Amino acid sequence: MNRKSFLVGLLAASCFVATSTLMTSPGNAQADPKVAKAMAILKAETAKLGAPKVEGTDQTADKTTPGLYFGSTKVNNDFTIVDKVKAEAGGTATLFVESGDDYVRVSTNVPGSVQGRALGTILDPKGKAIVNINKGEAFYGEVDILGKLYVTGYDPFKDASGKVIGIWYVGYEK
């Protein structure tokens, strides 16, 4: 093989690898600009309030859950932040709190039966996202949420001690 053919082949292989890496796929939806924008808004809005923590308990739909706070603001049953994300970026947003072995939606605009919201429902314990969350890692990809397919982002957040206490979620119905 001559030098020119080798270089052309090398360039073609490099382009293929770069394209494959950057392409959006179900496991790489963070490349979806809508998901990235919505997640950035959700994180920024909670950061304005302060660090996340759990304290006490609260009634969320039919469940008693830990009280989820950002700074001194309790977000259980408060839809201000998730509705701001929807107003600015569309889609859906949720703040989950860890409750036992589950993650419960304590602030959400995912459609459901409690005030028109999926309040008090849990993250699918057999779904794709929970595997990453249990490892303390984000998950971006397609997920079935209560019977509908969404392009999503899930990112765990931790308290001051470094323990995962909840999840930021954003998604768009496919």
Side-chain angles (χ1 to χ4, degrees):
M1 178 183 314
N2 67 32
R3 185 178 182 139
K4 184 177 180 182
S5 295
F6 174 76
L7 291 174
V8 169
L10 184 61
L11 179 62
S14 298
C15 288
F16 175 76
V17 169
T19 302
S20 299
T21 303
L22 297 174
M23 281 178 53
T24 300
S25 68
N28 191 22
Q30 72 269 26
D32 184 308
K34 292 190 306 188
V35 171
K37 177 183 178 185
M39 185 63 80
I41 294 167
L42 181 59
K43 288 180 177 183
E45 289 302 312
T46 56
K48 287 179 189 176
L49 300 175
K53 66 180 178 183
V54 290
E55 187 175 290
T57 59
D58 201 353
Q59 194 65 27
T60 305
D62 62 346
K63 292 180 176 59
T64 300
T65 63
L68 177 60
Y69 290 79
F70 285 88
S72 61
T73 303
K74 182 166 50 169
V75 297
N76 298 58
N77 303 301
D78 181 338
F79 312 117
T80 306
I81 292 171
V82 295
D83 287 350
K84 183 169 185 169
V85 173
K86 183 175 182 173
E88 291 185 19
T92 56
T94 296
L95 296 169
F96 288 90
V97 69
E98 183 183 40
S99 183
D101 292 333
D102 294 322
Y103 289 91
V104 180
R105 289 177 180 89
V106 295
S107 178
T108 188
N109 55 30
V110 170
S113 61
V114 179
Q115 301 173 40
R117 300 168 189 263
L119 198 61
T121 59
I122 63 169
L123 178 63
D124 183 354
K126 295 178 181 162
K128 298 178 194 175
I130 196 70
V131 174
N132 287 46
I133 297 301
N134 284 338
K135 292 189 280 185
E137 299 171 356
F139 172 85
Y140 289 85
E142 292 180 9
V143 173
D144 181 297
I145 299 176
L146 306 173
K148 294 185 179 180
L149 195 59
Y150 285 78
V151 176
T152 67
Y154 293 82
D155 204 346
F157 54 83
K158 301 172 181 177
D159 64 10
S161 74
K163 178 186 183 301
V164 173
I165 60 167
I167 306 167
W168 289 292
Y169 153 84
V170 295
Y172 292 86
E173 192 172 343
K174 207 165 166 171

